Amino acid sequence: MVTGLFSAAGLHIGRAFGSRWQKPAQIAGGVVLILLGIKVLLEHLGVIAF
């Protein structure tokens, strides 16, 4: 019941904000993926150790 309500709320919010925030969210997601890729590369090269 709770999962269904949260899913419905998420869909409603997504429709409301989707058209306005779609492009910035895509850019932010791309930047995060690029930064994660750089982090993994540097870890495998031994430059950083986390």
Side-chain angles (χ1 to χ4, degrees):
M1 183 77 119
V2 173
T3 302
L5 290 173
F6 277 112
S7 295
L11 287 171
H12 180 68
I13 292 169
R15 281 192 205 117
F17 290 102
S19 60
R20 178 174 181 185
W21 295 102
Q22 180 179 5
K23 188 69 172 176
Q26 287 178 344
I27 292 170
V31 168
V32 168
L33 286 175
I34 290 169
L35 292 174
L36 283 172
I38 291 170
K39 178 186 174 283
V40 169
L41 175 66
L42 294 175
E43 285 177 352
H44 284 286
L45 291 175
V47 176
I48 58 174
F50 278 115

